[in-house]
Amino acid sequence: MTQDTLLVPAGGGTAGGTRWWRDAVIYQVYVRSFADSGGDGVGDLPGVRSRLPYLADLGVDALWLTPFYVSPMADFGYDVADYRDVDPLFGTLADARGLIADAHARGLRIIVDVVPNHTSDRHAWFQAALAAPPGSAERARYIFRDGRGPDGAEPPNDWESVFGGPAWTRLPDGQWYLHLFASRQPDLNWENPEVHAEFADILKFWLDLGVDGFRVDVAHGMAKAPGLPDVGHAGQTEMLGTAVLPYFDQDPVHDIHREWRRLLDSYDGERIAVAEAWAPTPERLADYTRPDELHQAFNFHYLTAPWEASGMREVIDESLHAAEAVGAPATWVLSNHDVKRHVTRYGGGERGLRRARAAALLTLALPGSAYVYQGEELGLPEVLDLPEEYQQDPQRLRGEGAGRDGCRVPLPWEGEEPPFGFGAGASWLPIPTAWRDLTVAAQRDDPGSMLALYREALRVRREHPALGGGGLRWLAGPPGTLVFVREAGGEERRLACAANMGGRAVSVPVRGTPLLASGPVHMDGEQAELPPDTALWWDVEER
């Protein structure tokens, strides 16, 4: 195996590499599906608090909590009616304070969602706008327009909602309001200084309560195209069921993020913001993480990459180079609450599980920060056969298979029958009986389980000096494989990773000590035989 000459930096300088968020593993908690303390079938903040020992033992660095604010739940909390309080469904502000304090006591940081593109239609501002006349200050907080045509009966433009259908809804007085998502999620007008001031105060409220950062929902959406022009035939493209609209990703959105970065930097403790931004290229995505903007952006180009070596390497190279150009860490994510779980995307069944295990080692060996969606450490698949009466996601209206309920099924913790310790009563989405072998309790003491693989991989990642800062150097490998070395400047130890993404077993030279494999690997001297869909880590021996 000869060395390839390509050196891909990890991003940022030496000083920046010491910051916790540059190589953190952040665990996404979908609150309503994590743990239910109240017996109503819905997860809550006390439930999360009760499971902090599990998360600390897993070995992650931070938790990202999905919205738990006051909401009518038209979009499961991403329609916020009050940004400064906890919905009774999830607990109280005292519960939020207790969760933050307990997490910090266990060395875990807390990142909360903020939803700045739109509010709920039940928000006090929008209710005031509905009661006020056209042209009022109340309506100026949102995007209201007169319609087209002789009687204004046509929408102001041809924009479509992410959830399907027109992005405009008409009121009885004849005006229309913009909603790039559901009609119950009116878009805010970020050209209004009052909106800027309100969200600065919201961020301060949660920072003062002790949160360590924010995941910014639809970070690419707040600024609208000047004049709200028609898009004509440009339409929208799809990335794993997520609509990417041509009027998103407008340049003025970066001014908003610069404001927020200045606010975050005014607090002690490296408070951060993470952009949920869908952009057409890694370079465009990197704009959101320039030194004076947000700290990280989710790497959806990696998430959408197929299980194929050359394509995956191209995405990794592009992501690392784009991040390096702005001095930011790259991020790596395999699943989240908006896309099908990757066990299923990678083929499902035993093949999907093998690939998911290999993908875990590949992902956790890459430079930068990694995100783990709750349940991926258990190898949970997408639930594809939810009964119609349980399907509540507004995105399902875009067509068959468009709903996101299947990746949001609650976690199985223990026992032989649903709800598997999730709570005392039936869960809000039914948990498949077949998950009895995937519970935390069933996997905890099984050294061959997915949970054991994640725990060991996270332990090695935390302790191995080569998996902190430093770079990635590609090595030549057999066709269908990715082989690289991680090395930190000035460190003697190096770690290598080989992932066989092809359809046949391959032999890879291993000059060093094997550390962890995603599946059975046969060692013959200094040669490792990797079956298809298998990854291996080893300490590299100096020669």
Side-chain angles (χ1 to χ4, degrees):
M1 181 168 54
T2 59
Q3 293 188 355
D4 200 331
T5 58
L6 178 62
L7 177 65
V8 184
T14 302
T18 65
R19 297 174 180 175
W20 72 266
W21 45 271
R22 297 190 70 89
D23 59 4
V25 176
I26 300 172
Y27 186 98
Q28 181 189 354
V29 174
Y30 190 70
V31 176
R32 66 185 298 121
S33 294
F34 191 70
D36 168 25
S37 73
D40 61 357
V42 177
D44 47 41
L45 296 183
V48 178
R49 189 177 180 183
S50 72
R51 298 292 186 177
L52 288 176
Y54 166 77
L55 295 168
D57 182 64
L58 182 62
V60 298
D61 300 296
L63 313 182
W64 151 34
L65 304 176
T66 54
F68 48 77
Y69 313 114
V70 176
S71 168
M73 302 296 161
D75 190 20
F76 298 112
Y78 283 95
D79 51 317
V80 181
D82 185 347
Y83 290 85
R84 298 179 183 84
D85 202 357
V86 175
D87 193 283
L89 186 68
F90 299 127
T92 65
L93 268 178
D95 292 325
R97 291 190 185 96
L99 171 59
I100 293 166
D102 282 4
H104 287 168
R106 293 183 177 275
L108 296 168
R109 290 178 168 87
I110 295 290
I111 296 169
V112 298
D113 243 306
V114 64
V115 186
N117 179 71
H118 48 264
T119 71
S120 166
D121 62 350
R122 305 289 179 86
H123 192 284
W125 274 14
F126 194 71
Q127 291 295 304
L130 294 179
S136 63
E138 290 83 359
R139 290 201 176 183
R141 296 164 173 162
Y142 294 88
I143 299 176
F144 283 86
R145 294 290 186 274
D146 294 328
R148 296 191 288 194
D151 56 358
E154 297 296 321
N157 65 24
D158 64 356
W159 291 7
E160 292 184 7
S161 162
V162 169
F163 292 157
W168 297 90
T169 290
R170 197 180 193 192
L171 298 177
D173 63 20
Q175 275 208 314
W176 299 73
Y177 69 87
L178 178 69
H179 52 87
L180 293 183
F181 292 84
S183 61
R184 296 185 61 184
Q185 295 169 287
D187 277 47
L188 288 160
N189 174 20
W190 275 90
E191 294 183 2
N192 186 333
E194 193 174 357
V195 176
H196 288 251
E198 172 70 358
F199 272 86
D201 192 72
I202 290 167
L203 298 185
K204 290 176 184 177
F205 178 87
W206 290 102
L207 289 166
D208 291 343
L209 255 68
V211 303
D212 299 282
F214 301 93
R215 177 263 193 187
V216 183
D217 185 62
V218 195
H220 57 309
M222 294 103 83
K224 313 306 183 200
L228 309 183
D230 286 343
V231 297
H233 297 294
Q236 65 185 33
T237 58
E238 297 286 329
M239 294 181 73
L240 283 179
T242 298
V244 183
L245 297 155
Y247 36 88
F248 277 149
D249 190 35
Q250 300 293 315
D251 286 337
V253 79
H254 297 285
D255 295 330
I256 302 169
H257 298 321
R258 291 185 183 98
E259 289 178 23
W260 288 12
R261 179 59 180 262
R262 289 192 293 271
L263 173 60
L264 290 163
D265 286 349
S266 72
Y267 279 78
D268 293 333
E270 291 289 335
R271 316 292 183 95
I272 73 165
V274 183
E276 183 219 21
W278 291 86
T281 65
E283 290 77 18
R284 185 73 182 179
L285 181 65
D287 287 347
Y288 290 82
T289 58
R290 287 176 287 199
D292 60 345
E293 295 194 39
L294 306 186
H295 299 73
Q296 295 182 351
F298 290 132
N299 187 349
F300 294 121
H301 295 91
Y302 182 75
L303 185 151
T304 57
W307 186 253
E308 185 271 322
S310 62
M312 186 73 80
R313 173 167 170 170
E314 181 178 358
V315 168
I316 293 170
D317 282 346
E318 290 177 350
S319 300
L320 288 168
H321 282 304
E324 173 67 12
V326 295
T331 66
W332 314 101
V333 57
L334 293 168
S335 285
N336 64 32
H337 67 292
D338 284 332
V339 300
K340 284 185 171 60
R341 288 187 175 275
H342 59 278
V343 167
T344 299
R345 296 200 322 268
Y346 287 158
E350 289 301 316
R351 181 175 68 172
L353 191 61
R354 286 196 311 273
R355 290 178 173 179
R357 291 175 64 91
L361 292 194
L362 172 65
T363 300
L364 293 172
L366 293 171
S369 182
Y371 284 77
V372 174
Y373 177 46
Q374 66 176 46
E376 76 174 68
E377 80 278 14
L378 304 176
L380 298 185
E382 185 83 358
V383 179
L384 300 173
D385 56 353
L386 280 170
E388 178 67 28
E389 61 267 26
Y390 287 101
Q391 297 181 31
Q392 306 172 52
D393 178 20
Q395 185 168 294
R396 76 190 189 283
L397 301 177
R398 287 173 45 208
E400 185 176 354
R404 299 165 293 180
D405 297 298
C407 65
R408 300 174 175 185
V409 172
L411 290 192
W413 289 95
E414 59 197 10
E416 297 297 317
E417 298 293 337
F420 295 117
F422 170 72
S427 53
W428 73 281
L429 289 174
I431 306 175
T433 304
W435 283 11
R436 63 167 55 93
D437 296 328
L438 300 178
T439 67
V440 171
Q443 297 193 47
R444 182 179 289 120
D445 298 324
D446 177 4
S449 69
M450 181 72 92
L451 179 57
L453 179 71
Y454 266 80
R455 288 172 63 185
E456 183 63 9
L458 290 171
R459 184 194 66 78
V460 174
R461 179 185 167 100
R462 186 171 57 252
E463 297 177 1
H464 201 292
L467 292 180
L472 176 154
R473 178 160 48 86
W474 292 108
L475 305 178
T481 65
L482 294 180
V483 187
F484 58 87
V485 170
R486 291 292 317 282
E487 48 197 1
E491 296 287 353
E492 294 183 359
R493 291 181 65 192
R494 296 182 293 160
L495 182 142
C497 175
N500 180 8
M501 307 174 79
R504 61 181 63 185
V506 297
S507 183
V508 177
V510 174
R511 299 186 180 94
T513 305
L515 294 175
L516 185 60
S518 66
V521 172
H522 175 68
M523 296 296 302
D524 183 6
E526 292 188 340
Q527 295 290 319
E529 184 176 291
L530 266 62
D533 306 322
T534 303
L536 173 68
W537 287 358
W538 69 94
D539 255 329
V540 178
E541 180 180 301
E542 295 288 347
R543 289 291 178 92

